[in-house]
Amino acid sequence: MAKVIILGGIGTAVNIAEQMQDATDKFGAKDEFLGFAFDNEDYGDEINGFPLLCKTREAFDKYKKYNDVFFMYQLYRPDKLKERSGWLPEFKIPTERYYNFIHPTATVCRSAKMGHGNAIQAGTVVGSNTVMGNHNTFNSMCLFGHDTKIGNHNFFAAHALIGSNVKMGDFVFMGLNTAVNNMIEIKDNIMIGMGSNVIKSLESDQLVLGNPAKFIKAL
């Protein structure tokens, strides 16, 4: 049984905490959410009824001696995925101590492969022969199509759809109700605006929006 601490304390960090508790309460999941490591003292001692345990950069030193304690990184902002991923070395947490959360209502095909620190929230489907790296976040009801490969630090808002045989890099944000066509390549540091449909491959460092998605500005 793993015990989990989330680095972060607002937004998706809280969603994941509550979904972990839901997995325990409704489905009998054995892993336990311990609380948050968060730096904003305005929240006091708890967030949504879960304890605020320590500051983010204190977490590993405080808990590293407990081999059953693992961590999740959720300090992202949609417009700062690349920047905030650069904070990870400051926490001194070994990659293997990052926890993969999979909600019991998600479907992850047995041939799928994932690294560490990924979050697969309620109702999401991860297709056959998919591969993901580290620290990817799938919000509820996403689809990760078969034979698709993604890198690290990607964030998918609810109802994001990734087609099959897609190759995706790092630091990609897909907004609510976005879709990526089959058999294309999405490179690094890309923001896909809400409701957009990406039908052609995308080069790095850009914001796209629309149906079909078009270049808006460089990032």
Side-chain angles (χ1 to χ4, degrees):
M1 183 180 77
K3 299 177 180 178
V4 182
I5 296 169
I6 294 177
L7 279 65
I10 58 174
T12 301
V14 181
N15 284 345
I16 293 170
E18 297 212 14
Q19 289 206 19
M20 288 190 68
Q21 190 63 50
D22 179 73
T24 298
D25 294 344
K26 294 181 181 176
F27 300 93
K30 301 301 183 184
D31 292 349
E32 177 187 359
F33 176 61
L34 290 182
F36 298 102
F38 196 45
D39 296 331
N40 190 333
E41 296 179 348
D42 293 342
Y43 287 85
D45 296 328
E46 64 176 42
I47 298 171
N48 281 36
F50 300 112
L52 209 167
L53 301 169
C54 59
K55 300 291 183 63
T56 56
R57 289 160 182 81
E58 301 169 351
F60 188 60
D61 282 342
K62 186 173 181 178
Y63 291 96
K64 65 183 176 182
K65 63 182 177 181
Y66 303 106
N67 292 330
D68 59 346
V69 174
F70 293 83
F71 303 87
M72 295 194 75
Y73 182 73
Q74 287 294 327
L75 289 169
Y76 294 114
R77 265 178 39 183
D79 58 335
K80 293 184 179 293
L81 294 181
K82 186 174 182 179
E83 176 183 330
R84 293 198 172 186
S85 70
W87 295 354
L88 261 76
E90 300 176 25
F91 307 118
K92 301 178 181 178
I93 300 173
T95 300
E96 63 272 15
R97 290 289 291 270
Y98 282 104
Y99 176 80
N100 286 322
F101 170 64
I102 302 172
H103 190 271
T105 62
T107 299
V108 178
C109 288
R110 65 180 184 176
S111 56
K113 296 179 174 63
M114 66 178 71
H116 299 272
N118 299 290
I120 313 296
Q121 296 187 61
T124 287
V125 176
V126 177
S128 59
N129 301 306
T130 54
V131 178
M132 71 178 78
N134 304 321
H135 305 293
N136 297 291
T137 299
F138 290 84
N139 282 275
S140 295
M141 306 301 291
C142 293
L143 172 66
F144 186 13
H146 67 79
D147 296 287
T148 283
K149 296 177 174 61
I150 66 172
N152 309 298
H153 306 288
N154 298 298
F155 190 100
F156 307 96
H159 298 272
L161 308 176
I162 309 167
S164 61
N165 292 283
V166 171
K167 182 179 179 182
M168 183 179 289
D170 304 332
F171 321 118
V172 175
F173 174 81
M174 288 182 61
L176 293 163
N177 291 308
T178 54
V180 168
N181 196 16
N182 302 319
M183 303 180 73
I184 62 174
E185 182 174 5
I186 307 295
K187 293 193 176 178
D188 299 336
N189 193 37
I190 291 171
M191 178 177 284
I192 302 171
M194 182 176 68
S196 298
N197 288 310
V198 179
I199 62 173
K200 296 181 180 180
S201 295
L202 296 175
E203 296 297 320
S204 299
D205 303 315
Q206 58 178 311
L207 165 66
V208 299
L209 179 65
N211 184 11
K214 295 181 180 179
F215 174 84
I216 301 298
K217 65 177 183 178
L219 296 178

